[in-house]
PDB file of all heavy atoms in Angstrom:
ATOM      1  N   ARG A  28     -44.339  63.857 -74.205  1.00 96.00           N
ATOM      2  CA  ARG A  28     -45.010  62.455 -74.170  1.00 96.00           C
ATOM      3  C   ARG A  28     -46.339  62.642 -74.890  1.00 96.00           C
ATOM      4  O   ARG A  28     -46.943  63.659 -75.037  1.00 96.00           O
ATOM      5  CB  ARG A  28     -45.252  62.156 -72.655  1.00 96.00           C
ATOM      6  CG  ARG A  28     -44.062  62.137 -71.854  1.00 96.00           C
ATOM      7  CD  ARG A  28     -43.067  61.076 -72.192  1.00 96.00           C
ATOM      8  NE  ARG A  28     -41.913  60.982 -71.346  1.00 96.00           N
ATOM      9  CZ  ARG A  28     -41.392  59.781 -70.783  1.00 96.00           C
ATOM     10  NH1 ARG A  28     -42.102  58.713 -71.014  1.00 96.00           N
ATOM     11  NH2 ARG A  28     -40.516  59.830 -69.984  1.00 96.00           N
ATOM     12  N   HIS A  29     -46.793  61.387 -75.450  1.00 98.00           N
ATOM     13  CA  HIS A  29     -47.971  61.284 -76.171  1.00 98.00           C
ATOM     14  C   HIS A  29     -48.826  60.262 -75.509  1.00 98.00           C
ATOM     15  O   HIS A  29     -48.401  59.107 -75.143  1.00 98.00           O
ATOM     16  CB  HIS A  29     -47.641  60.914 -77.609  1.00 98.00           C
ATOM     17  CG  HIS A  29     -48.916  60.686 -78.416  1.00 98.00           C
ATOM     18  ND1 HIS A  29     -48.951  59.955 -79.513  1.00 98.00           N
ATOM     19  CD2 HIS A  29     -50.142  61.209 -78.335  1.00 98.00           C
ATOM     20  CE1 HIS A  29     -50.248  60.003 -80.187  1.00 98.00           C
ATOM     21  NE2 HIS A  29     -50.822  60.825 -79.376  1.00 98.00           N
ATOM     22  N   VAL A  30     -49.939  60.622 -75.141  1.00 98.00           N
ATOM     23  CA  VAL A  30     -51.008  59.880 -74.498  1.00 98.00           C
ATOM     24  C   VAL A  30     -52.213  59.560 -75.424  1.00 98.00           C
ATOM     25  O   VAL A  30     -52.704  60.637 -75.914  1.00 98.00           O
ATOM     26  CB  VAL A  30     -51.488  60.348 -73.100  1.00 98.00           C
ATOM     27  CG1 VAL A  30     -52.498  59.486 -72.453  1.00 98.00           C
ATOM     28  CG2 VAL A  30     -50.274  60.486 -72.197  1.00 98.00           C
ATOM     29  N   VAL A  31     -52.675  58.420 -75.587  1.00 98.00           N
ATOM     30  CA  VAL A  31     -53.913  58.166 -76.216  1.00 98.00           C
ATOM     31  C   VAL A  31     -54.937  57.896 -75.113  1.00 98.00           C
ATOM     32  O   VAL A  31     -54.811  57.047 -74.260  1.00 98.00           O
ATOM     33  CB  VAL A  31     -53.896  56.878 -77.108  1.00 98.00           C
ATOM     34  CG1 VAL A  31     -55.233  56.571 -77.658  1.00 98.00           C
ATOM     35  CG2 VAL A  31     -52.990  57.249 -78.269  1.00 98.00           C
ATOM     36  N   VAL A  32     -55.997  58.593 -75.205  1.00 98.00           N
ATOM     37  CA  VAL A  32     -57.109  58.606 -74.320  1.00 98.00           C
ATOM     38  C   VAL A  32     -58.305  57.876 -75.064  1.00 98.00           C
ATOM     39  O   VAL A  32     -58.663  58.403 -76.143  1.00 98.00           O
ATOM     40  CB  VAL A  32     -57.676  60.053 -73.785  1.00 98.00           C
ATOM     41  CG1 VAL A  32     -58.906  59.782 -72.991  1.00 98.00           C
ATOM     42  CG2 VAL A  32     -56.612  60.653 -72.964  1.00 98.00           C
ATOM     43  N   ILE A  33     -58.634  56.677 -74.701  1.00 98.00           N
ATOM     44  CA  ILE A  33     -59.786  55.930 -75.380  1.00 98.00           C
ATOM     45  C   ILE A  33     -61.000  56.155 -74.628  1.00 98.00           C
ATOM     46  O   ILE A  33     -61.263  55.666 -73.536  1.00 98.00           O
ATOM     47  CB  ILE A  33     -59.480  54.513 -75.403  1.00 98.00           C
ATOM     48  CG1 ILE A  33     -58.102  54.224 -76.062  1.00 98.00           C
ATOM     49  CG2 ILE A  33     -60.391  53.653 -76.235  1.00 98.00           C
ATOM     50  CD1 ILE A  33     -57.579  52.819 -76.002  1.00 98.00           C
ATOM     51  N   GLY A  34     -61.946  56.909 -75.301  1.00 98.00           N
ATOM     52  CA  GLY A  34     -63.232  57.235 -74.692  1.00 98.00           C
ATOM     53  C   GLY A  34     -63.393  58.683 -74.543  1.00 98.00           C
ATOM     54  O   GLY A  34     -62.561  59.230 -73.728  1.00 98.00           O
ATOM     55  N   GLY A  35     -64.443  59.263 -75.259  1.00 98.00           N
ATOM     56  CA  GLY A  35     -64.676  60.802 -75.131  1.00 98.00           C
ATOM     57  C   GLY A  35     -65.787  61.069 -74.242  1.00 98.00           C
ATOM     58  O   GLY A  35     -66.360  62.207 -74.515  1.00 98.00           O
ATOM     59  N   GLY A  36     -66.075  60.344 -73.219  1.00 98.00           N
ATOM     60  CA  GLY A  36     -67.259  60.753 -72.265  1.00 98.00           C
ATOM     61  C   GLY A  36     -66.473  61.664 -71.301  1.00 98.00           C
ATOM     62  O   GLY A  36     -65.486  62.260 -71.352  1.00 98.00           O
ATOM     63  N   LEU A  37     -67.184  61.863 -70.168  1.00 98.00           N
ATOM     64  CA  LEU A  37     -66.716  62.841 -69.110  1.00 98.00           C
ATOM     65  C   LEU A  37     -65.296  62.341 -68.533  1.00 98.00           C
ATOM     66  O   LEU A  37     -64.447  63.118 -68.386  1.00 98.00           O
ATOM     67  CB  LEU A  37     -67.763  62.809 -67.960  1.00 98.00           C
ATOM     68  CG  LEU A  37     -68.980  63.657 -68.253  1.00 98.00           C
ATOM     69  CD1 LEU A  37     -70.032  63.336 -67.187  1.00 98.00           C
ATOM     70  CD2 LEU A  37     -68.633  65.028 -68.273  1.00 98.00           C
ATOM     71  N   ALA A  38     -65.221  61.093 -68.372  1.00 98.00           N
ATOM     72  CA  ALA A  38     -63.828  60.554 -67.766  1.00 98.00           C
ATOM     73  C   ALA A  38     -62.734  60.763 -68.738  1.00 98.00           C
ATOM     74  O   ALA A  38     -61.657  61.277 -68.468  1.00 98.00           O
ATOM     75  CB  ALA A  38     -63.982  59.020 -67.450  1.00 98.00           C
ATOM     76  N   GLY A  39     -62.907  60.297 -70.042  1.00 98.00           N
ATOM     77  CA  GLY A  39     -61.826  60.611 -71.011  1.00 98.00           C
ATOM     78  C   GLY A  39     -61.602  62.137 -71.367  1.00 98.00           C
ATOM     79  O   GLY A  39     -60.494  62.528 -71.442  1.00 98.00           O
ATOM     80  N   THR A  40     -62.713  62.853 -71.334  1.00 98.00           N
ATOM     81  CA  THR A  40     -62.472  64.278 -71.606  1.00 98.00           C
ATOM     82  C   THR A  40     -61.739  64.906 -70.535  1.00 98.00           C
ATOM     83  O   THR A  40     -60.947  65.708 -70.738  1.00 98.00           O
ATOM     84  CB  THR A  40     -63.860  64.878 -71.875  1.00 98.00           C
ATOM     85  OG1 THR A  40     -64.462  64.334 -73.050  1.00 98.00           O
ATOM     86  CG2 THR A  40     -63.759  66.451 -72.027  1.00 98.00           C
ATOM     87  N   ALA A  41     -62.119  64.675 -69.155  1.00 98.00           N
ATOM     88  CA  ALA A  41     -61.329  65.199 -68.007  1.00 98.00           C
ATOM     89  C   ALA A  41     -59.958  64.899 -68.131  1.00 98.00           C
ATOM     90  O   ALA A  41     -59.059  65.695 -67.862  1.00 98.00           O
ATOM     91  CB  ALA A  41     -62.083  64.758 -66.761  1.00 98.00           C
ATOM     92  N   ALA A  42     -59.579  63.468 -68.462  1.00 98.00           N
ATOM     93  CA  ALA A  42     -58.304  63.195 -68.603  1.00 98.00           C
ATOM     94  C   ALA A  42     -57.552  63.828 -69.742  1.00 98.00           C
ATOM     95  O   ALA A  42     -56.406  64.415 -69.517  1.00 98.00           O
ATOM     96  CB  ALA A  42     -58.117  61.751 -68.736  1.00 98.00           C
ATOM     97  N   ALA A  43     -58.082  63.924 -70.806  1.00 98.00           N
ATOM     98  CA  ALA A  43     -57.542  64.692 -71.991  1.00 98.00           C
ATOM     99  C   ALA A  43     -57.276  66.126 -71.723  1.00 98.00           C
ATOM    100  O   ALA A  43     -56.189  66.730 -72.042  1.00 98.00           O
ATOM    101  CB  ALA A  43     -58.429  64.475 -73.317  1.00 98.00           C
ATOM    102  N   VAL A  44     -58.276  66.873 -71.121  1.00 98.00           N
ATOM    103  CA  VAL A  44     -58.170  68.193 -70.717  1.00 98.00           C
ATOM    104  C   VAL A  44     -56.907  68.439 -69.973  1.00 98.00           C
ATOM    105  O   VAL A  44     -56.112  69.282 -70.164  1.00 98.00           O
ATOM    106  CB  VAL A  44     -59.482  68.779 -70.129  1.00 98.00           C
ATOM    107  CG1 VAL A  44     -59.112  70.049 -69.398  1.00 98.00           C
ATOM    108  CG2 VAL A  44     -60.535  68.929 -71.198  1.00 98.00           C
ATOM    109  N   LEU A  45     -56.845  67.697 -68.773  1.00 98.00           N
ATOM    110  CA  LEU A  45     -55.774  67.901 -67.774  1.00 98.00           C
ATOM    111  C   LEU A  45     -54.321  67.650 -68.376  1.00 98.00           C
ATOM    112  O   LEU A  45     -53.384  68.488 -68.220  1.00 98.00           O
ATOM    113  CB  LEU A  45     -55.947  67.153 -66.490  1.00 98.00           C
ATOM    114  CG  LEU A  45     -55.085  67.364 -65.396  1.00 98.00           C
ATOM    115  CD1 LEU A  45     -55.000  68.773 -65.086  1.00 98.00           C
ATOM    116  CD2 LEU A  45     -55.543  66.617 -64.158  1.00 98.00           C
ATOM    117  N   LEU A  46     -54.232  66.546 -69.161  1.00 98.00           N
ATOM    118  CA  LEU A  46     -52.930  66.202 -69.795  1.00 98.00           C
ATOM    119  C   LEU A  46     -52.631  67.272 -70.772  1.00 98.00           C
ATOM    120  O   LEU A  46     -51.377  67.681 -70.788  1.00 98.00           O
ATOM    121  CB  LEU A  46     -53.115  64.951 -70.455  1.00 98.00           C
ATOM    122  CG  LEU A  46     -53.189  63.599 -69.581  1.00 98.00           C
ATOM    123  CD1 LEU A  46     -53.544  62.446 -70.435  1.00 98.00           C
ATOM    124  CD2 LEU A  46     -51.907  63.339 -68.871  1.00 98.00           C
ATOM    125  N   ALA A  47     -53.482  67.749 -71.653  1.00 98.00           N
ATOM    126  CA  ALA A  47     -53.163  68.684 -72.522  1.00 98.00           C
ATOM    127  C   ALA A  47     -52.770  70.047 -71.948  1.00 98.00           C
ATOM    128  O   ALA A  47     -51.874  70.714 -72.541  1.00 98.00           O
ATOM    129  CB  ALA A  47     -54.395  68.915 -73.534  1.00 98.00           C
ATOM    130  N   GLU A  48     -53.443  70.406 -70.855  1.00 98.00           N
ATOM    131  CA  GLU A  48     -53.121  71.623 -70.377  1.00 98.00           C
ATOM    132  C   GLU A  48     -51.729  71.611 -69.590  1.00 98.00           C
ATOM    133  O   GLU A  48     -51.108  72.586 -69.291  1.00 98.00           O
ATOM    134  CB  GLU A  48     -54.140  71.936 -69.082  1.00 98.00           C
ATOM    135  CG  GLU A  48     -55.450  72.321 -69.599  1.00 98.00           C
ATOM    136  CD  GLU A  48     -56.535  72.462 -68.657  1.00 98.00           C
ATOM    137  OE1 GLU A  48     -56.337  71.869 -67.499  1.00 98.00           O
ATOM    138  OE2 GLU A  48     -57.598  73.058 -68.741  1.00 98.00           O
ATOM    139  N   ARG A  49     -51.113  70.434 -69.384  1.00 98.00           N
ATOM    140  CA  ARG A  49     -49.776  70.358 -68.814  1.00 98.00           C
ATOM    141  C   ARG A  49     -48.735  70.031 -70.021  1.00 98.00           C
ATOM    142  O   ARG A  49     -47.627  69.726 -69.708  1.00 98.00           O
ATOM    143  CB  ARG A  49     -49.645  69.106 -67.881  1.00 98.00           C
ATOM    144  CG  ARG A  49     -50.455  69.263 -66.623  1.00 98.00           C
ATOM    145  CD  ARG A  49     -50.126  70.373 -65.814  1.00 98.00           C
ATOM    146  NE  ARG A  49     -50.804  70.487 -64.508  1.00 98.00           N
ATOM    147  CZ  ARG A  49     -51.832  71.176 -64.280  1.00 98.00           C
ATOM    148  NH1 ARG A  49     -52.384  71.937 -65.238  1.00 98.00           N
ATOM    149  NH2 ARG A  49     -52.431  71.167 -63.202  1.00 98.00           N
ATOM    150  N   GLY A  50     -49.255  70.271 -71.331  1.00 97.00           N
ATOM    151  CA  GLY A  50     -48.259  70.218 -72.304  1.00 97.00           C
ATOM    152  C   GLY A  50     -48.057  68.887 -72.938  1.00 97.00           C
ATOM    153  O   GLY A  50     -47.176  68.684 -73.832  1.00 97.00           O
ATOM    154  N   VAL A  51     -48.980  67.808 -72.614  1.00 98.00           N
ATOM    155  CA  VAL A  51     -48.752  66.529 -73.031  1.00 98.00           C
ATOM    156  C   VAL A  51     -49.562  66.406 -74.384  1.00 98.00           C
ATOM    157  O   VAL A  51     -50.582  67.022 -74.602  1.00 98.00           O
ATOM    158  CB  VAL A  51     -49.396  65.568 -72.040  1.00 98.00           C
ATOM    159  CG1 VAL A  51     -49.321  64.042 -72.607  1.00 98.00           C
ATOM    160  CG2 VAL A  51     -48.764  65.540 -70.767  1.00 98.00           C
ATOM    161  N   GLU A  52     -48.963  65.693 -75.322  1.00 98.00           N
ATOM    162  CA  GLU A  52     -49.590  65.517 -76.703  1.00 98.00           C
ATOM    163  C   GLU A  52     -50.682  64.360 -76.388  1.00 98.00           C
ATOM    164  O   GLU A  52     -50.478  63.343 -75.979  1.00 98.00           O
ATOM    165  CB  GLU A  52     -48.633  64.996 -77.606  1.00 98.00           C
ATOM    166  CG  GLU A  52     -49.219  64.822 -78.955  1.00 98.00           C
ATOM    167  CD  GLU A  52     -48.104  64.201 -80.031  1.00 98.00           C
ATOM    168  OE1 GLU A  52     -46.918  64.095 -79.658  1.00 98.00           O
ATOM    169  OE2 GLU A  52     -48.605  63.933 -81.100  1.00 98.00           O
ATOM    170  N   VAL A  53     -51.845  64.697 -76.789  1.00 98.00           N
ATOM    171  CA  VAL A  53     -53.028  63.817 -76.526  1.00 98.00           C
ATOM    172  C   VAL A  53     -53.686  63.569 -77.804  1.00 98.00           C
ATOM    173  O   VAL A  53     -54.043  64.430 -78.629  1.00 98.00           O
ATOM    174  CB  VAL A  53     -54.007  64.467 -75.559  1.00 98.00           C
ATOM    175  CG1 VAL A  53     -55.243  63.578 -75.227  1.00 98.00           C
ATOM    176  CG2 VAL A  53     -53.292  64.765 -74.229  1.00 98.00           C
ATOM    177  N   THR A  54     -54.108  62.233 -78.047  1.00 98.00           N
ATOM    178  CA  THR A  54     -55.028  61.836 -78.997  1.00 98.00           C
ATOM    179  C   THR A  54     -56.248  61.156 -78.181  1.00 98.00           C
ATOM    180  O   THR A  54     -56.066  60.357 -77.484  1.00 98.00           O
ATOM    181  CB  THR A  54     -54.474  60.799 -80.079  1.00 98.00           C
ATOM    182  OG1 THR A  54     -53.199  61.336 -80.735  1.00 98.00           O
ATOM    183  CG2 THR A  54     -55.483  60.313 -80.972  1.00 98.00           C
ATOM    184  N   LEU A  55     -57.332  61.714 -78.615  1.00 98.00           N
ATOM    185  CA  LEU A  55     -58.659  61.330 -77.920  1.00 98.00           C
ATOM    186  C   LEU A  55     -59.384  60.525 -78.996  1.00 98.00           C
ATOM    187  O   LEU A  55     -59.832  61.012 -80.061  1.00 98.00           O
ATOM    188  CB  LEU A  55     -59.494  62.478 -77.550  1.00 98.00           C
ATOM    189  CG  LEU A  55     -60.806  62.307 -76.918  1.00 98.00           C
ATOM    190  CD1 LEU A  55     -60.640  61.399 -75.601  1.00 98.00           C
ATOM    191  CD2 LEU A  55     -61.491  63.482 -76.477  1.00 98.00           C
ATOM    192  N   VAL A  56     -59.666  59.381 -78.722  1.00 98.00           N
ATOM    193  CA  VAL A  56     -60.206  58.276 -79.622  1.00 98.00           C
ATOM    194  C   VAL A  56     -61.672  58.064 -79.136  1.00 98.00           C
ATOM    195  O   VAL A  56     -61.819  57.630 -77.960  1.00 98.00           O
ATOM    196  CB  VAL A  56     -59.561  56.948 -79.705  1.00 98.00           C
ATOM    197  CG1 VAL A  56     -60.228  56.006 -80.565  1.00 98.00           C
ATOM    198  CG2 VAL A  56     -58.128  57.236 -80.256  1.00 98.00           C
ATOM    199  N   GLU A  57     -62.634  58.353 -79.985  1.00 98.00           N
ATOM    200  CA  GLU A  57     -64.054  58.086 -79.556  1.00 98.00           C
ATOM    201  C   GLU A  57     -64.764  57.311 -80.613  1.00 98.00           C
ATOM    202  O   GLU A  57     -64.777  57.694 -81.883  1.00 98.00           O
ATOM    203  CB  GLU A  57     -64.677  59.405 -79.337  1.00 98.00           C
ATOM    204  CG  GLU A  57     -66.284  59.416 -79.165  1.00 98.00           C
ATOM    205  CD  GLU A  57     -66.789  58.427 -78.098  1.00 98.00           C
ATOM    206  OE1 GLU A  57     -66.174  58.426 -77.027  1.00 98.00           O
ATOM    207  OE2 GLU A  57     -67.555  57.655 -78.498  1.00 98.00           O
ATOM    208  N   ARG A  58     -65.507  56.291 -80.202  1.00 97.00           N
ATOM    209  CA  ARG A  58     -66.172  55.409 -81.206  1.00 97.00           C
ATOM    210  C   ARG A  58     -67.364  56.151 -81.844  1.00 97.00           C
ATOM    211  O   ARG A  58     -67.459  55.959 -83.109  1.00 97.00           O
ATOM    212  CB  ARG A  58     -66.775  54.164 -80.490  1.00 97.00           C
ATOM    213  CG  ARG A  58     -67.575  53.163 -81.260  1.00 97.00           C
ATOM    214  CD  ARG A  58     -67.987  52.054 -80.484  1.00 97.00           C
ATOM    215  NE  ARG A  58     -68.895  52.460 -79.407  1.00 97.00           N
ATOM    216  CZ  ARG A  58     -69.379  51.715 -78.424  1.00 97.00           C
ATOM    217  NH1 ARG A  58     -68.902  50.394 -78.510  1.00 97.00           N
ATOM    218  NH2 ARG A  58     -70.087  52.153 -77.485  1.00 97.00           N
ATOM    219  N   GLU A  59     -68.041  56.951 -81.230  1.00 97.00           N
ATOM    220  CA  GLU A  59     -69.067  57.669 -81.866  1.00 97.00           C
ATOM    221  C   GLU A  59     -68.501  58.917 -82.587  1.00 97.00           C
ATOM    222  O   GLU A  59     -67.434  59.299 -82.361  1.00 97.00           O
ATOM    223  CB  GLU A  59     -70.119  58.208 -80.693  1.00 97.00           C
ATOM    224  CG  GLU A  59     -70.606  57.124 -79.840  1.00 97.00           C
ATOM    225  CD  GLU A  59     -71.519  56.202 -80.579  1.00 97.00           C
ATOM    226  OE1 GLU A  59     -72.023  56.498 -81.763  1.00 97.00           O
ATOM    227  OE2 GLU A  59     -71.881  55.121 -80.038  1.00 97.00           O
ATOM    228  N   VAL A  60     -69.491  59.593 -83.345  1.00 97.00           N
ATOM    229  CA  VAL A  60     -69.107  60.742 -84.013  1.00 97.00           C
ATOM    230  C   VAL A  60     -69.111  61.938 -83.217  1.00 97.00           C
ATOM    231  O   VAL A  60     -68.874  63.062 -83.798  1.00 97.00           O
ATOM    232  CB  VAL A  60     -69.810  60.876 -85.467  1.00 97.00           C
ATOM    233  CG1 VAL A  60     -69.585  59.682 -86.359  1.00 97.00           C
ATOM    234  CG2 VAL A  60     -71.247  60.812 -85.158  1.00 97.00           C
ATOM    235  N   TYR A  61     -69.654  61.811 -82.045  1.00 97.00           N
ATOM    236  CA  TYR A  61     -69.713  62.928 -81.148  1.00 97.00           C
ATOM    237  C   TYR A  61     -69.069  62.668 -79.919  1.00 97.00           C
ATOM    238  O   TYR A  61     -68.973  61.457 -79.396  1.00 97.00           O
ATOM    239  CB  TYR A  61     -71.223  63.317 -80.982  1.00 97.00           C
ATOM    240  CG  TYR A  61     -72.115  62.090 -80.555  1.00 97.00           C
ATOM    241  CD1 TYR A  61     -72.192  61.774 -79.165  1.00 97.00           C
ATOM    242  CD2 TYR A  61     -72.765  61.286 -81.384  1.00 97.00           C
ATOM    243  CE1 TYR A  61     -72.925  60.802 -78.696  1.00 97.00           C
ATOM    244  CE2 TYR A  61     -73.389  60.149 -81.011  1.00 97.00           C
ATOM    245  CZ  TYR A  61     -73.541  59.872 -79.548  1.00 97.00           C
ATOM    246  OH  TYR A  61     -74.253  58.897 -79.166  1.00 97.00           O
ATOM    247  N   LEU A  62     -68.698  63.609 -79.072  1.00 98.00           N
ATOM    248  CA  LEU A  62     -68.157  63.501 -77.802  1.00 98.00           C
ATOM    249  C   LEU A  62     -69.322  63.353 -76.688  1.00 98.00           C
ATOM    250  O   LEU A  62     -70.512  63.687 -77.100  1.00 98.00           O
ATOM    251  CB  LEU A  62     -67.256  64.637 -77.404  1.00 98.00           C
ATOM    252  CG  LEU A  62     -65.942  64.731 -78.183  1.00 98.00           C
ATOM    253  CD1 LEU A  62     -65.092  65.921 -77.726  1.00 98.00           C
ATOM    254  CD2 LEU A  62     -65.223  63.504 -78.257  1.00 98.00           C
ATOM    255  N   GLY A  63     -68.937  62.861 -75.434  1.00 97.00           N
ATOM    256  CA  GLY A  63     -69.909  62.925 -74.432  1.00 97.00           C
ATOM    257  C   GLY A  63     -70.253  61.570 -73.710  1.00 97.00           C
ATOM    258  O   GLY A  63     -70.666  61.564 -72.689  1.00 97.00           O
ATOM    259  N   GLY A  64     -70.043  60.514 -74.609  1.00 96.00           N
ATOM    260  CA  GLY A  64     -70.326  59.275 -74.047  1.00 96.00           C
ATOM    261  C   GLY A  64     -71.775  59.187 -73.598  1.00 96.00           C
ATOM    262  O   GLY A  64     -72.685  59.445 -74.375  1.00 96.00           O
ATOM    263  N   ARG A  65     -71.951  58.740 -72.386  1.00 95.00           N
ATOM    264  CA  ARG A  65     -73.349  58.575 -71.996  1.00 95.00           C
ATOM    265  C   ARG A  65     -74.013  59.908 -71.588  1.00 95.00           C
ATOM    266  O   ARG A  65     -75.173  59.886 -71.287  1.00 95.00           O
ATOM    267  CB  ARG A  65     -73.374  57.451 -70.654  1.00 95.00           C
ATOM    268  CG  ARG A  65     -73.342  56.140 -71.210  1.00 95.00           C
ATOM    269  CD  ARG A  65     -73.331  55.108 -70.035  1.00 95.00           C
ATOM    270  NE  ARG A  65     -71.952  55.113 -69.405  1.00 95.00           N
ATOM    271  CZ  ARG A  65     -71.730  54.801 -68.221  1.00 95.00           C
ATOM    272  NH1 ARG A  65     -72.707  54.451 -67.312  1.00 95.00           N
ATOM    273  NH2 ARG A  65     -70.536  54.861 -67.691  1.00 95.00           N
ATOM    274  N   ALA A  66     -73.227  60.988 -71.584  1.00 97.00           N
ATOM    275  CA  ALA A  66     -73.717  62.143 -71.447  1.00 97.00           C
ATOM    276  C   ALA A  66     -73.832  63.048 -72.734  1.00 97.00           C
ATOM    277  O   ALA A  66     -73.927  64.279 -72.691  1.00 97.00           O
ATOM    278  CB  ALA A  66     -73.007  62.966 -70.286  1.00 97.00           C
ATOM    279  N   GLY A  67     -73.714  62.436 -73.852  1.00 97.00           N
ATOM    280  CA  GLY A  67     -73.626  62.974 -75.124  1.00 97.00           C
ATOM    281  C   GLY A  67     -75.101  63.269 -75.778  1.00 97.00           C
ATOM    282  O   GLY A  67     -75.939  62.850 -75.095  1.00 97.00           O
ATOM    283  N   ALA A  68     -74.894  63.856 -76.876  1.00 97.00           N
ATOM    284  CA  ALA A  68     -76.207  63.954 -77.740  1.00 97.00           C
ATOM    285  C   ALA A  68     -75.930  63.989 -79.130  1.00 97.00           C
ATOM    286  O   ALA A  68     -74.919  64.266 -79.550  1.00 97.00           O
ATOM    287  CB  ALA A  68     -76.854  65.445 -77.158  1.00 97.00           C
ATOM    288  N   TRP A  69     -76.992  63.705 -79.904  1.00 97.00           N
ATOM    289  CA  TRP A  69     -76.725  63.609 -81.279  1.00 97.00           C
ATOM    290  C   TRP A  69     -77.954  64.086 -82.114  1.00 97.00           C
ATOM    291  O   TRP A  69     -79.145  64.181 -81.421  1.00 97.00           O
ATOM    292  CB  TRP A  69     -76.390  62.041 -81.686  1.00 97.00           C
ATOM    293  CG  TRP A  69     -77.618  61.091 -81.389  1.00 97.00           C
ATOM    294  CD1 TRP A  69     -78.677  60.701 -82.046  1.00 97.00           C
ATOM    295  CD2 TRP A  69     -77.834  60.531 -80.104  1.00 97.00           C
ATOM    296  NE1 TRP A  69     -79.477  59.983 -81.415  1.00 97.00           N
ATOM    297  CE2 TRP A  69     -78.924  59.832 -80.104  1.00 97.00           C
ATOM    298  CE3 TRP A  69     -77.084  60.643 -78.829  1.00 97.00           C
ATOM    299  CZ2 TRP A  69     -79.275  59.111 -79.055  1.00 97.00           C
ATOM    300  CZ3 TRP A  69     -77.556  59.948 -77.821  1.00 97.00           C
ATOM    301  CH2 TRP A  69     -78.708  59.107 -77.939  1.00 97.00           C
TER     302      TRP A  69
END
C-alpha cells in the first residue's frame, strides 16, 4: 500500500516512521524545505 503523509512535523513524521517500518510505501509531503514543522529549524 502507498500512503501520502501531508506534513513533516512531529505528527507526520511519527506516522511516516511507523508506516514505513511496517513495509508501507510512504511519501512525506512537506511545504517547507526542512522537516520539523513547529519544532523545526532553518
